[in-house]
Structures are given as C-alpha cells and as structure tokens.
C-alpha cells in the first residue's frame, strides 16, 4: 500500500497480514520525533520541566477524524488527556475528535479537491487506505499501527441462534451463511460492502470459505450476495437499527426486523449494552477464521503538518497505546490491536465457548481479492435489464434424459425459478424464436423489457405476467432454429433501449445451431454486431447452449463480440445458476454499465 515501514521479515509484500505481525510506522525520522516528544512529556509529568503558562494559552490543537464506532472511545481518551493536562513538547494537548464514515473520508481524500480539516484519520479498517489513494493524485496518507481491533462475526437473536445449535455447534463461513439462509430462512442483514469494511470483509470471508468447499463457489457466493442485498443497509449503524430488540411478537414478527446480521464484535457489544433480556445477541465466530477491523492510526498529508502538529499527533498515538487508553477501548467493546481480548468482553458481545472466538484472526485478504469481491457484489446486486430470448423450435419438445419432461418444460421451470432471484427494480423482457414464426420473421416479442414491480395492464405486476408468459411457452411444431436473424434483431432493440446505471444484457437460450438459410449469414451477423457494439452502452450477449445438439462454440463466438460469452448446459435446470454466473463474469470483465 506504499506505507513507510521498517524492515519486517514476517511481512508479505503486497498483502495485509494479521495486525500482530504488521508493524507500520510513519518514517524513521518521525519515530525519532516521537521519541523526543515522548521523552519531553515524560519529563513534564515527572516535574522535570516547568510550565508556568496556562494550558489554553500554550495548547497545540489536533483534529482527529475517526470511524463512528470508535470515535466515542477516542473522544473519551482525548477528554481525559486534556483534563490531565497531558503535554507534547511543553504544550498542552487539545484533541478534537470528529466522527465520519470511513468510506466518505476515503472518497474525499482520493478526490483531493480540498485540503482536509484534520491531521489524523482513524478508519475502522486499513482497506480504506487503498481506497483513499485512488489514482495517486489525492491527499497522501501515512498509516501506523493499529490502536484497537474487532473481529467480524455473525450475530443472531437467541431464537435463531439456538436453532442453529449455538454455542456448541461451530461452522465455517460458508456453512454458517448457508445454514442461516436455508429452508427455515433467517432474516439476515448486512451493510453495503461498498460503504462498510465489515460488510466487505464478511463477504470476502464467505467467498474464500466457499472456494475451499470446491464446486461452483462463485455462483454460491453471488446467490448469497443477492439475498444479502434484499436486506442491505447503507452502513453499520443502520444494520444495528434493523435488529429485533426484544422477543415480543411485534419485534420478532416484524418483517422489517432482522434476526441476524453480519457485524463486528464491538457492534454486538454496543447493541447488547442497550438491549434487555432476550433482546441481546448471540455471536457465531466461524471456525475458518474471522477477519479483523484494525483501526490504523493514520497521518494525513504529513508533509504539510507543522512540527508542533506532527509531535502532537505522534504523542496522541503513543497515548492511545497506554494501559489506561486500552482499558477505555475495552470498556467500549474493542480488543487490543493484536486481536486479543478478555473473556468478559467477548461474553458481553454475545460470545461463548466453544465458539472459537480466541482463535487467531484469518489473514486479511489482499487488495486484489477485496476488489474482486467488491466487483462481484456491485454486479450481482446492480439492477439488471435483461432481454430473454428463448428457442421455440420443434426440437425443444425433445425429452431430457433422466426426466419425463421436454427441454422446453425444464427450461420454463428454470426461468421461473431464476426470476425469484431478481428484485422489483430489475427489468426483464421475453422473446421467442423459430423459423417463420411471425410471417417472414423468425422471432416475436412476447413481453416488453420492463421493471418487474411495475403494474401490468389488466392487473397484477410485470413479474406475474412474465411468469405466466414463461409458463405458456411451447415448441413450434416443425419450426427450425432461426438464430442469426433473431440475435441481430433482439440485440438492436436491447441496444436502442439501453438504460444507464443498470446491467444491460441479452440472454439467448437455444438447443441448436442456425437453420434459417434464407436469413443473414454468420459472417453478416458478426459484421453487423461489430458495428453496433458501443463501449459507452455495453450490452453483452449471454448465449446459453441447451442440450447436446447446441453448438456452444458458435454462440460463444457471437457473444464474445459484444463482451459476453457462451455457456453450455446439459440439463436446462442448470440455466438459473448459469445466468447468474454469466452476469458476474461479464461484470468482472469490466463490461458492466457504469453507474
């Protein structure tokens, strides 16, 4: 991250390790300043120096911006320092502590438009430091060691936690989330990973855990992200506000109240301090490791600080590490910077043995891994605009091996199931195609691409009408596969009706290759698509070859021209997972619409 660091044989370049092995300092020269400042203050406390002037007259003032969760503890320490007339280089130390969301501070520093009104930043995680760097043209930051920490965990109301066997049963991240979102689904809330370190670290932990399970982990994580997005809050404070505060019917039965949340141990500590009785939370600590919020003490634009401000900032950092300050942090529910904590703190937050709350924290994900997780989240939860084009040729009446259903019937069921994964703000339409389906045309638009939550003519919603349209799809007897003409026509419409800020895509499902000899040729289609593709209005084609007769290579070649790709499914029941996987792949390749 470009930090000024002393040599550390245990540090892995390019990765953020566990806070206890990570020794970050501002610079060797600054450490010498700290030694002078600390020595001066010690001498002052020992009465070796005389301060005849009043504190107000001689004070050096320092402004600290801290994450809202830790700001009260830091403010308490600053107020005590002022009361004790703690001094830096003979000047009384007056520290103002302001609470600001880390993501907002990072964005402002990255923009670099205005000079910050603070000298020290205390975000909840060092992941924001990379965000603050932006393109390298913003306000520089110089991080040092962690002043406190808090593990990310899954909190539940007692009725939900005991159903999952708390505290004796332990889970990996993947198992825990799967259990919470199983058949007896728990209302699970989370903060937006784009704005919350807790949310992003939890999602990264779920992804890493799922990958260790093997199989199609990307799709499982994307499905989890979709569910989390349904009950997503803007930030950590808002997540806490969604949790049930008691076991009353009004609270637990309220669909707007969550029964579980991905939060930090400190957030659970705060919640439990205010809740009563059964309204207190229980904490699950995943056995494959919990990531830590690490609260790095960070100087902002160090070069522009005066000598007095630099010494005051480093004096305050030293103060935050002393025994009294660490006790204050513990009183507010924070662990020490190395992740260690007293059992009493954990118990107050809702932890209990044999939950593995004392296990070392998992190694922090790399910046690249976090960016990949954030891209996946953005694409998965971004509102979609999909035009679905379904092959209705006669071969779709062929029975699927091992099932007493036709390709068309299984495809319809899968599409209806996939529809459940989309929100009311998503826009989906439907075309079908077969040769000479509509006079000279091989295609027909059955449903306009509209918001699923929009009211439909004659009553109901667009989602309900679309579900009925899927269910009504039937193969056209004798109809052949008019793939090329249909692809060109549907792509033209999807591009012309492009909506900025949504993930626009064309989903084509076919069980064969083009059989319309009177229509456009393959080379002609390729030429036309190349003319139509617009990087400013991206519409990737997601082409799904269904069954053994479909030509995946053909549809993949066509799809890649538009920034999409081709996929093959032997069983149409796999379509639901493939659509989600394809959306993720297109987005992670940078072809999603920009917000």
């Amino acid at each position: 991250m470009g930090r000024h660091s002393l040599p550390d044989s245990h540090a892995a370049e390019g990765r953020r390790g566990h806070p206890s092995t990570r020794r970050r300092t501002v610079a060797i020269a600054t450490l010498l300043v700290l030694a002078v400042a600390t020595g001066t203050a010690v001498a002052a406390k020992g009465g070796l120096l005389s301060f005849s002037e009043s504190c107000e007259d001689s004070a050096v003032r320092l402004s600290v911006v801290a994450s809202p969760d830790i700001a009260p503890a830091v403010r308490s320490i600053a107020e005590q320092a002022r009361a004790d007339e703690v001094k830096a280089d003979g000047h009384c130390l007056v520290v103002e502590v302001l609470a600001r969301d880390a993501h907002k501070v990072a964005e402002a520093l990255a923009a670099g438009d205005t000079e910050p009104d603070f000298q020290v930043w205390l975000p909840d995680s060092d992941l924001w430091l990379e965000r603050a760097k932006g393109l390298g043209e913003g306000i520089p930051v110089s991080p040092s060691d962690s002043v406190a920490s808090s593990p990310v965990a899954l909190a539940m109301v007692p009725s939900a936690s005991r159903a999952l066997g708390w505290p004796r049963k332990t889970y990996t991240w993947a198992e825990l989330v799967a259990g919470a979102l199983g058949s007896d689904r728990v209302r699970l809330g989370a903060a937006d990973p784009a704005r919350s370190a807790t949310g992003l670290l939890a999602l990264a932990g779920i992804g890493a855990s799922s990958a260790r399970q093997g199989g199609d982990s990307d799709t499982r994580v994307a499905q989890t992200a979709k569910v989390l997005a349904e009950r997503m809050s803007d930030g950590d404070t808002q997540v806490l506000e969604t949790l049930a505060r008691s076991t009353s019917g009004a609270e637990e039965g309220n669909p707007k109240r969550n029964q579980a949340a991905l939060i930090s141990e400190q957030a659970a500590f705060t919640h439990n301090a205010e809740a009563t009785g059964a309204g207190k939370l229980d904490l699950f600590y995943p056995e494959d490791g919990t990531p830590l919020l690490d609260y790095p003490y960070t100087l902002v634009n160090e070069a522009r600080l005066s000598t007095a401000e630099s010494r005051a900032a480093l004096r305050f950092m030293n103060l935050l590490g002393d025994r009294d300050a660490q006790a204050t942090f513990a009183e507010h529910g924070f662990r020490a910077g190395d992740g260690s904590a007293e059992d009493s703190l954990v118990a107050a937050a809702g932890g209990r043995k044999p939950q593995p709350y004392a296990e070392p924290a998992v190694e922090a994900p790399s910046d690249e891994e976090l960016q990949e997780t954030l891209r996946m989240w953005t694409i998965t939860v971004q509102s979609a605009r999909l035009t679905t084009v379904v092959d209705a040729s006669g071969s779709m009446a062929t029975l699927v091996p091992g099932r007493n259903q036709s390709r068309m019937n299984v495809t319809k069921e899968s599409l209806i199931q996939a529809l459940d994964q989309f929100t009311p703000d998503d826009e989906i339409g439907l075309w079908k195609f077969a040769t000479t389906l509509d006079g000279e045309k091989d295609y027909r638009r059955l449903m306009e691409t509209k918001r699923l939550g929009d009211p439909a003519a004659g009553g109901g919603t667009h989602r309900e009408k679309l579900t009925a349209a899927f269910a009504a799809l039937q193969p056209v007897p004798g109809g052949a596969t008019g793939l090329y003409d249909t692809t060109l026509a549907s792509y033209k419409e999807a591009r012309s009706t492009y909506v900025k800020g949504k993930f626009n895509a064309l989903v084509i499902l076919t069980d064969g290759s083009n059989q319309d000899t009177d229509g456009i040729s393959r080379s002609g289609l390729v030429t036309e698509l190349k003319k139509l593709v617009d990087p400013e209005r991206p519409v990737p084609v997601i082409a799904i070859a269904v069954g053994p007769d479909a030509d995946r290579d053909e549809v993949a070649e066509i799809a890649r021209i538009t920034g999409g790709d081709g996929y093959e499914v032997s069983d149409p029941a796999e379509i639901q997972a493939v659509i989600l996987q394809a959306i993720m792949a297109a987005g992670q390749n940078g072809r999603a619409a920009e917000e």
Side-chain angles (χ1 to χ4, degrees):
M1 287 190 164
R3 298 171 182 167
H4 306 290
S5 302
L6 293 174
D8 185 347
S9 61
H10 299 289
E13 185 174 348
R15 293 184 65 84
R16 292 189 300 275
H18 188 286
S20 64
T21 64
R22 184 170 58 229
R23 311 314 306 161
R24 298 170 300 191
T25 58
V26 192
I28 295 176
T30 317
L31 284 177
L32 296 177
V33 173
L34 175 58
V36 172
T38 304
T40 305
V42 170
K45 278 195 167 184
L48 301 179
L49 298 177
S50 173
F51 300 101
S52 56
E53 66 269 43
S54 72
C55 260
E56 286 299 321
D57 292 339
S58 68
V60 56
R61 300 181 184 277
L62 189 69
S63 184
V64 177
V65 163
S67 180
D69 54 348
I70 204 171
V74 178
R75 188 176 294 117
S76 177
I77 295 167
E79 291 171 352
Q80 188 60 50
R82 185 169 184 175
D84 292 343
E85 296 190 1
V86 171
K87 297 178 176 64
D89 250 12
H91 299 282
C92 287
L93 188 60
V94 177
V95 180
E96 177 190 33
V97 180
L98 306 171
R100 293 181 189 170
D101 291 329
H103 75 91
K104 294 180 180 178
V105 178
E107 290 169 3
L109 292 174
D113 296 332
T114 57
E115 193 66 32
D117 58 351
F118 53 95
Q119 296 82 38
V120 176
W121 181 29
L122 198 56
D124 56 359
S125 172
D126 61 0
L127 68 85
W128 298 115
L129 303 178
E130 189 70 17
R131 191 82 60 89
K133 285 170 57 178
L135 298 176
E137 300 176 356
I139 305 297
V141 294
S142 304
S144 186
D145 288 339
S146 301
V147 302
S149 67
S150 188
V152 176
L154 181 58
M156 290 192 184
V157 299
S159 59
S161 68
R162 284 171 175 74
L164 288 181
W166 182 91
R168 295 193 173 279
K169 188 169 178 55
T170 60
Y171 299 84
T172 64
W173 271 111
E175 292 168 346
L176 182 55
V177 173
L181 301 179
S183 56
D184 296 326
R185 180 172 165 180
V186 173
R187 294 192 296 273
L188 174 59
D192 183 353
R195 302 179 179 184
S196 162
T198 302
L200 182 55
L201 288 172
L203 193 58
I206 294 167
S209 180
S210 185
R212 287 190 290 270
Q213 285 187 333
D216 190 1
S217 60
D218 285 348
T219 299
R220 290 198 302 270
V221 176
Q223 289 170 334
T224 299
K226 270 286 189 184
V227 174
L228 290 177
E230 294 174 7
R231 306 189 70 82
M232 181 184 69
S233 298
D234 285 343
D236 300 318
T237 302
Q238 291 83 353
V239 173
L240 283 172
E241 293 171 352
T242 68
L243 289 164
R245 293 279 170 154
S246 71
T247 56
S248 69
E251 281 287 290
E252 289 205 340
N254 186 343
K256 294 184 179 180
R257 288 292 192 188
N258 288 322
Q259 300 161 296
L262 292 163
I263 59 177
S264 70
E265 180 184 75
Q266 191 277 336
F269 180 98
T270 301
H271 177 95
N272 286 348
E274 299 173 357
T276 58
K280 294 181 182 294
L281 298 171
D282 297 326
L283 278 187
F284 280 98
Y285 296 78
E287 62 187 16
D288 48 356
T290 54
L292 282 180
L293 299 178
D294 60 350
Y295 304 92
Y297 190 89
T298 306
L299 296 187
V300 178
N301 204 355
E302 182 187 1
R304 60 120 192 180
L305 300 183
S306 67
T307 300
E309 287 174 331
S310 293
R311 293 180 176 181
L314 292 165
R315 176 70 182 97
F316 189 57
M317 182 184 75
N318 191 54
L319 186 67
L320 292 178
D322 73 18
R323 182 177 298 178
D324 289 342
Q326 288 298 301
T328 299
F329 283 130
E331 289 169 1
H332 285 76
F334 292 96
R335 297 189 178 199
D338 63 3
S340 61
E342 297 292 333
D343 286 352
S344 58
L345 185 155
V346 176
R352 185 185 299 175
K353 293 180 179 179
Q355 287 296 311
Y357 59 78
E359 294 296 317
V362 68
E363 183 181 12
S366 67
D367 297 323
E368 182 180 347
E369 289 167 337
L370 287 173
Q371 285 302 314
E372 182 178 342
T373 299
L374 190 56
R375 285 194 298 270
M376 181 276 294
W377 168 263
T378 302
I379 296 306
T380 303
V381 304
Q382 185 182 40
S383 184
R385 179 177 172 82
L386 307 178
T387 300
T388 309
V389 183
V390 180
D391 190 343
S393 61
S395 58
M396 288 292 282
T398 304
L399 292 179
V400 175
R403 291 172 174 265
N404 191 27
Q405 290 179 292
S406 68
R407 291 176 185 170
M408 178 62 87
N409 284 338
V410 177
T411 298
K412 293 190 300 186
E413 289 182 7
S414 189
L415 287 171
I416 292 170
Q417 290 173 6
L419 203 55
D420 290 338
Q421 298 291 325
F422 294 93
T423 71
D425 285 331
D426 291 320
E427 301 179 25
I428 300 181
L430 174 62
W431 290 36
K432 71 174 182 178
F433 67 100
T435 52
T436 62
L437 178 67
D438 187 5
E440 293 296 318
K441 295 190 296 185
D442 296 335
Y443 48 84
R444 179 183 298 152
R445 187 181 71 183
L446 302 180
M447 297 290 295
E448 184 180 353
T449 304
K450 296 171 55 177
R451 287 181 68 256
L452 292 175
D454 281 353
T461 64
H462 182 62
R463 182 193 296 273
E464 292 168 341
K465 297 294 185 182
L466 186 59
T467 300
F470 281 146
L473 287 170
Q474 295 294 334
V476 176
T481 306
L483 180 61
Y484 295 163
D485 283 350
T486 302
T487 299
L488 181 58
S490 56
Y491 189 83
K492 283 181 177 179
E493 176 166 296
R495 183 184 175 282
S496 66
T497 57
Y498 177 90
V499 175
K500 187 175 178 60
K502 290 180 178 286
F503 177 82
N504 294 248
L506 183 66
V507 181
I508 300 177
L509 300 101
T510 180
D511 74 340
S513 56
N514 184 69
Q515 297 171 321
D516 183 3
T517 56
D518 296 328
I520 191 171
S521 66
R522 180 172 179 171
S523 60
L525 173 61
V526 168
T527 299
E528 290 300 314
L529 287 177
K530 286 180 178 179
K531 293 178 183 177
L532 290 169
V533 168
D534 181 359
E536 298 299 318
R537 300 164 65 87
V539 184
V541 170
I542 298 170
I544 303 176
V546 182
D549 299 327
D551 188 340
R552 176 186 176 177
D553 292 338
E554 178 183 49
V555 296
E557 179 184 347
I558 294 169
R560 287 169 188 155
I561 295 168
T562 67
D565 207 345
Y567 300 83
E568 183 177 7
V569 295
S570 57
D571 186 338
E574 301 169 5
I575 290 171
Q576 176 184 359
V578 168
I579 290 176
L580 192 55
Q581 177 186 347
I583 290 174
M584 284 175 54
Q588 290 175 349
N589 286 336
R591 300 179 180 109
E594 293 183 0
E595 293 186 358

